């Protein structure tokens, strides 16, 4: 089956630094990928839609200058949290839709746990 | 846009059944169901695309009432491995394919 990877799986950084998270579709091409954020014991909140070759589409309330998204190829999307602060600490998960054996499926990456000190 | 899930939590004995409901105020293209274990990413269970569609995976099945914009997940003869948080994700009609809004989740605990 299709696999989506994320790197790094865990990152701890100081307040004010920027952190880049990569999301890769390993055996399929994804013109669209999605970025979610999940705080402890809460639901997944859609942050933005990453579009290959064009600008990302951000959900209402998500700062596009703070969460920079780049979808440079059909298999890679990156999320950069700029000038991270403790309130940005969260579990960041990407996903990519795929048609696997004729069925529409959504594959999630394993997630990246960000802790900002 | 966020669908409403109920109940918030379910506690079962192994072998018992459970139903988790998901409803949306928007016209839906599809409903997805996921299970998430603590500290892990969600795992895809199934997607329902057509009104009246029902799907099953082992002893976990789901239905989708397109007219009512509702879906239900049925877990029969629950096993210990079914424990986790279940999320429904809805895809609005006319939206970008794969763009999901998730419910708050239902925490399922199965005891031996």
């Amino acid at each position: 089956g299709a696999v989506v990877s994320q790197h790094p799986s865990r990152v701890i950084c100081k307040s004010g630094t920027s952190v880049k998270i990569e999301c890769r579709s390993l055996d399929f091409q994804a013109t669209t990928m999605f970025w979610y954020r999940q705080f402890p014991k809460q639901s997944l909140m859609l942050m933005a839609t990453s579009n290959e070759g064009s600008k990302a589409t951000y959900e209402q309330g998500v700062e596009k200058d703070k969460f920079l998204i780049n979808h440079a190829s059909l298999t890679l999307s990156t999320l950069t949290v700029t000038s991270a602060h403790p309130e940005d600490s969260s579990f960041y998960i990407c996903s990519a839709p795929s048609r696997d054996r004729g069925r529409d499926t959504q594959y999630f990456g394993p997630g990246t746990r960000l802790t900002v000190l | 846009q966020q669908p409403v899930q109920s109940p918030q939590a379910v506690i079962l004995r192994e072998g018992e059944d459970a139903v988790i409901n998901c409803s949306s105020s928007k016209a839906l293209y599809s409903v997805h169901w996921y299970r998430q274990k603590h500290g892990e990413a969600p795992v895809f269970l199934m997607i329902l695309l057509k009104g009246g569609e029902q799907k099953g995976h082992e002893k976990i099945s789901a239905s989708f009432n397109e007219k009512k914009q509702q879906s239900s997940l049925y877990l029969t003869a629950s096993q210990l491995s079914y424990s986790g948080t279940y999320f429904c994700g809805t895809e609005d009609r006319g939206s970008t394919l794969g763009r999901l809004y998730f419910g708050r989740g239902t925490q399922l605990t199965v005891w031996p």
Side-chain angles (χ1 to χ4, degrees), chain A residues 4-6 23-25 28 30-36 44 46 48-50 71 77 92-98 105-111, chain B residues 34 42 97-100 102:
Chain A
V4 173
S5 71
Q6 270 184 253
C23 176
R24 290 181 188 273
S25 56
F28 67 101
T31 56
T32 305
M33 291 183 177
F34 302 93
W35 287 96
Y36 295 86
L44 291 88
L46 179 64
T49 303
S50 175
H71 198 141
S77 173
Y92 291 87
I93 311 172
C94 68
S95 74
S98 172
T105 309
Q106 184 89 245
Y107 293 100
F108 281 82
Chain B
Y34 295 83
L97 183 67
R99 183 167 169 235
L100 298 176
F102 285 88

Side-chain angles (χ1 to χ4, degrees), chain A residues 34 38 43 59 104 106 108-109, chain B residues 34 36 41 47 98-99 101 103:
Chain A
F34 302 93
Q38 187 178 33
S43 185
E59 295 297 309
D104 290 321
Q106 184 89 245
F108 281 82
Chain B
Y34 295 83
Q36 186 178 31
I47 177 175
R99 183 167 169 235
Y101 294 97

Side-chain angles (χ1 to χ4, degrees), chain B residues 4-7 19-23 33 70-74 88 106:
Chain B
V4 176
Q5 261 184 262
S6 64
V19 180
I20 300 171
N21 299 303
C22 175
S23 65
W33 285 97
Q70 295 174 346
S71 177
S72 294
L73 184 73
Y74 307 94
C88 70
T106 297

Side-chain angles (χ1 to χ4, degrees), chain A residues 16-82:
Chain A
T17 60
S18 293
V19 176
K20 182 187 278 189
I21 303 170
E22 292 185 348
C23 176
R24 290 181 188 273
S25 56
L26 295 184
D27 54 359
F28 67 101
Q29 293 181 335
T31 56
T32 305
M33 291 183 177
F34 302 93
W35 287 96
Y36 295 86
R37 179 168 54 180
Q38 187 178 33
F39 292 108
K41 296 191 178 181
Q42 293 191 26
S43 185
L44 291 88
M45 297 303 295
L46 179 64
M47 297 176 66
T49 303
S50 175
N51 304 298
E52 188 269 334
S54 64
K55 289 183 179 180
T57 309
Y58 291 82
E59 295 297 309
Q60 197 171 10
V62 177
E63 298 175 60
K64 60 181 180 181
D65 294 331
K66 181 163 185 67
F67 298 101
L68 301 179
I69 290 172
N70 185 279
H71 198 141
S73 75
L74 288 170
T75 60
L76 174 64
S77 173
T78 60
L79 169 68
T80 302
V81 183
T82 62

